[in-house]
mmCIF file of all heavy atoms in Angstrom:
data_model
loop_
_atom_site.group_PDB
_atom_site.id
_atom_site.type_symbol
_atom_site.label_atom_id
_atom_site.label_comp_id
_atom_site.label_asym_id
_atom_site.label_seq_id
_atom_site.Cartn_x
_atom_site.Cartn_y
_atom_site.Cartn_z
ATOM 1 N N ARG A 38 -17.975 -20.687 5.653
ATOM 2 C CA ARG A 38 -18.024 -21.823 6.559
ATOM 3 C C ARG A 38 -19.456 -22.349 6.694
ATOM 4 O O ARG A 38 -19.689 -23.561 6.668
ATOM 5 C CB ARG A 38 -17.483 -21.379 7.911
ATOM 6 C CG ARG A 38 -17.444 -22.524 8.893
ATOM 7 C CD ARG A 38 -16.862 -22.100 10.219
ATOM 8 N NE ARG A 38 -16.845 -23.259 11.106
ATOM 9 C CZ ARG A 38 -16.090 -23.358 12.127
ATOM 10 N NH1 ARG A 38 -15.293 -22.419 12.443
ATOM 11 N NH2 ARG A 38 -16.172 -24.432 12.892
ATOM 12 N N SER A 39 -20.420 -21.457 6.780
ATOM 13 C CA SER A 39 -21.818 -21.873 6.862
ATOM 14 C C SER A 39 -22.221 -22.618 5.632
ATOM 15 O O SER A 39 -22.912 -23.643 5.686
ATOM 16 C CB SER A 39 -22.686 -20.629 7.081
ATOM 17 O OG SER A 39 -24.054 -20.956 7.041
ATOM 18 N N ASP A 40 -21.845 -22.094 4.453
ATOM 19 C CA ASP A 40 -22.188 -22.773 3.186
ATOM 20 C C ASP A 40 -21.530 -24.183 3.161
ATOM 21 O O ASP A 40 -22.225 -25.158 2.762
ATOM 22 C CB ASP A 40 -21.668 -21.958 2.003
ATOM 23 C CG ASP A 40 -22.481 -20.698 1.748
ATOM 24 O OD1 ASP A 40 -23.579 -20.577 2.335
ATOM 25 O OD2 ASP A 40 -21.973 -19.838 0.999
ATOM 26 N N LEU A 41 -20.283 -24.316 3.567
ATOM 27 C CA LEU A 41 -19.627 -25.565 3.586
ATOM 28 C C LEU A 41 -20.274 -26.564 4.579
ATOM 29 O O LEU A 41 -20.417 -27.731 4.286
ATOM 30 C CB LEU A 41 -18.136 -25.435 3.887
ATOM 31 C CG LEU A 41 -17.321 -24.784 2.788
ATOM 32 C CD1 LEU A 41 -15.897 -24.565 3.256
ATOM 33 C CD2 LEU A 41 -17.320 -25.630 1.544
ATOM 34 N N GLU A 42 -20.710 -26.028 5.718
ATOM 35 C CA GLU A 42 -21.360 -26.886 6.724
ATOM 36 C C GLU A 42 -22.670 -27.394 6.172
ATOM 37 O O GLU A 42 -23.060 -28.521 6.365
ATOM 38 C CB GLU A 42 -21.577 -26.131 8.009
ATOM 39 C CG GLU A 42 -20.296 -25.970 8.824
ATOM 40 C CD GLU A 42 -20.483 -25.092 10.054
ATOM 41 O OE1 GLU A 42 -21.573 -24.464 10.214
ATOM 42 O OE2 GLU A 42 -19.533 -25.021 10.837
ATOM 43 N N GLU A 43 -23.435 -26.514 5.462
ATOM 44 C CA GLU A 43 -24.693 -26.919 4.855
ATOM 45 C C GLU A 43 -24.432 -28.041 3.804
ATOM 46 O O GLU A 43 -25.184 -28.996 3.743
ATOM 47 C CB GLU A 43 -25.392 -25.734 4.178
ATOM 48 C CG GLU A 43 -26.106 -24.817 5.170
ATOM 49 C CD GLU A 43 -26.833 -23.709 4.434
ATOM 50 O OE1 GLU A 43 -27.340 -23.916 3.329
ATOM 51 O OE2 GLU A 43 -26.866 -22.602 4.988
ATOM 52 N N GLN A 44 -23.402 -27.819 2.986
ATOM 53 C CA GLN A 44 -23.098 -28.831 1.958
ATOM 54 C C GLN A 44 -22.718 -30.167 2.627
ATOM 55 O O GLN A 44 -23.131 -31.224 2.172
ATOM 56 C CB GLN A 44 -21.933 -28.324 1.079
ATOM 57 C CG GLN A 44 -22.303 -27.272 0.127
ATOM 58 C CD GLN A 44 -21.117 -26.795 -0.712
ATOM 59 O OE1 GLN A 44 -20.026 -27.246 -0.560
ATOM 60 N NE2 GLN A 44 -21.393 -25.857 -1.606
ATOM 61 N N GLN A 45 -21.924 -30.053 3.685
ATOM 62 C CA GLN A 45 -21.501 -31.273 4.404
ATOM 63 C C GLN A 45 -22.707 -31.989 5.015
ATOM 64 O O GLN A 45 -22.832 -33.191 4.938
ATOM 65 C CB GLN A 45 -20.480 -30.940 5.507
ATOM 66 C CG GLN A 45 -19.922 -32.181 6.192
ATOM 67 C CD GLN A 45 -18.859 -31.786 7.180
ATOM 68 O OE1 GLN A 45 -18.695 -30.660 7.539
ATOM 69 N NE2 GLN A 45 -18.124 -32.789 7.633
ATOM 70 N N LEU A 46 -23.626 -31.218 5.620
ATOM 71 C CA LEU A 46 -24.825 -31.814 6.187
ATOM 72 C C LEU A 46 -25.653 -32.454 5.078
ATOM 73 O O LEU A 46 -26.141 -33.587 5.247
ATOM 74 C CB LEU A 46 -25.663 -30.718 6.891
ATOM 75 C CG LEU A 46 -26.979 -31.168 7.518
ATOM 76 C CD1 LEU A 46 -26.708 -32.133 8.635
ATOM 77 C CD2 LEU A 46 -27.747 -29.985 7.997
ATOM 78 N N HIS A 47 -25.800 -31.795 3.945
ATOM 79 C CA HIS A 47 -26.552 -32.328 2.842
ATOM 80 C C HIS A 47 -25.891 -33.656 2.348
ATOM 81 O O HIS A 47 -26.627 -34.615 2.096
ATOM 82 C CB HIS A 47 -26.606 -31.326 1.706
ATOM 83 C CG HIS A 47 -27.367 -31.799 0.503
ATOM 84 N ND1 HIS A 47 -28.730 -31.892 0.470
ATOM 85 C CD2 HIS A 47 -26.921 -32.132 -0.724
ATOM 86 C CE1 HIS A 47 -29.088 -32.298 -0.690
ATOM 87 N NE2 HIS A 47 -28.021 -32.471 -1.458
ATOM 88 N N LEU A 48 -24.590 -33.649 2.235
ATOM 89 C CA LEU A 48 -23.870 -34.855 1.796
ATOM 90 C C LEU A 48 -24.029 -35.992 2.814
ATOM 91 O O LEU A 48 -24.207 -37.147 2.452
ATOM 92 C CB LEU A 48 -22.407 -34.558 1.541
ATOM 93 C CG LEU A 48 -22.136 -33.687 0.309
ATOM 94 C CD1 LEU A 48 -20.643 -33.333 0.247
ATOM 95 C CD2 LEU A 48 -22.551 -34.350 -0.975
ATOM 96 N N ASN A 49 -23.933 -35.610 4.100
ATOM 97 C CA ASN A 49 -24.060 -36.673 5.138
ATOM 98 C C ASN A 49 -25.462 -37.258 5.136
ATOM 99 O O ASN A 49 -25.585 -38.488 5.342
ATOM 100 C CB ASN A 49 -23.700 -36.077 6.515
ATOM 101 C CG ASN A 49 -22.258 -35.847 6.703
ATOM 102 O OD1 ASN A 49 -21.449 -36.446 6.015
ATOM 103 N ND2 ASN A 49 -21.869 -34.947 7.575
ATOM 104 N N VAL A 50 -26.456 -36.438 4.951
ATOM 105 C CA VAL A 50 -27.849 -36.956 4.866
ATOM 106 C C VAL A 50 -27.970 -37.879 3.658
ATOM 107 O O VAL A 50 -28.520 -39.010 3.762
ATOM 108 C CB VAL A 50 -28.866 -35.815 4.744
ATOM 109 C CG1 VAL A 50 -30.248 -36.319 4.403
ATOM 110 C CG2 VAL A 50 -28.951 -35.039 6.091
ATOM 111 N N GLY A 51 -27.386 -37.502 2.550
ATOM 112 C CA GLY A 51 -27.457 -38.342 1.314
ATOM 113 C C GLY A 51 -26.711 -39.655 1.544
ATOM 114 O O GLY A 51 -27.173 -40.723 1.158
ATOM 115 N N LEU A 52 -25.511 -39.580 2.208
ATOM 116 C CA LEU A 52 -24.797 -40.821 2.465
ATOM 117 C C LEU A 52 -25.527 -41.697 3.445
ATOM 118 O O LEU A 52 -25.517 -42.937 3.316
ATOM 119 C CB LEU A 52 -23.395 -40.429 3.045
ATOM 120 C CG LEU A 52 -22.413 -39.877 2.065
ATOM 121 C CD1 LEU A 52 -21.138 -39.449 2.837
ATOM 122 C CD2 LEU A 52 -22.053 -40.843 0.944
ATOM 123 N N GLY A 53 -26.226 -41.117 4.404
ATOM 124 C CA GLY A 53 -27.059 -41.923 5.335
ATOM 125 C C GLY A 53 -28.155 -42.636 4.567
ATOM 126 O O GLY A 53 -28.428 -43.813 4.869
ATOM 127 N N LYS A 54 -28.804 -41.945 3.665
ATOM 128 C CA LYS A 54 -29.865 -42.572 2.907
ATOM 129 C C LYS A 54 -29.313 -43.663 2.033
ATOM 130 O O LYS A 54 -29.931 -44.733 1.868
ATOM 131 C CB LYS A 54 -30.595 -41.516 2.040
ATOM 132 C CG LYS A 54 -31.473 -40.596 2.820
ATOM 133 C CD LYS A 54 -32.184 -39.616 1.936
ATOM 134 C CE LYS A 54 -33.065 -38.669 2.734
ATOM 135 N NZ LYS A 54 -33.814 -37.739 1.900
ATOM 136 N N ILE A 55 -28.155 -43.460 1.425
ATOM 137 C CA ILE A 55 -27.542 -44.486 0.597
ATOM 138 C C ILE A 55 -27.166 -45.675 1.477
ATOM 139 O O ILE A 55 -27.390 -46.833 1.072
ATOM 140 C CB ILE A 55 -26.293 -43.948 -0.117
ATOM 141 C CG1 ILE A 55 -26.702 -42.982 -1.233
ATOM 142 C CG2 ILE A 55 -25.438 -45.070 -0.726
ATOM 143 C CD1 ILE A 55 -25.554 -42.245 -1.886
#
Side-chain angles (χ1 to χ4, degrees):
R38 182 177 180 159
S39 175
D40 289 344
L41 289 175
E42 286 174 352
E43 282 182 35
Q44 287 178 358
Q45 185 177 12
L46 178 65
H47 180 72
L48 290 174
N49 286 338
V50 168
L52 288 174
K54 287 182 180 181
I55 289 173

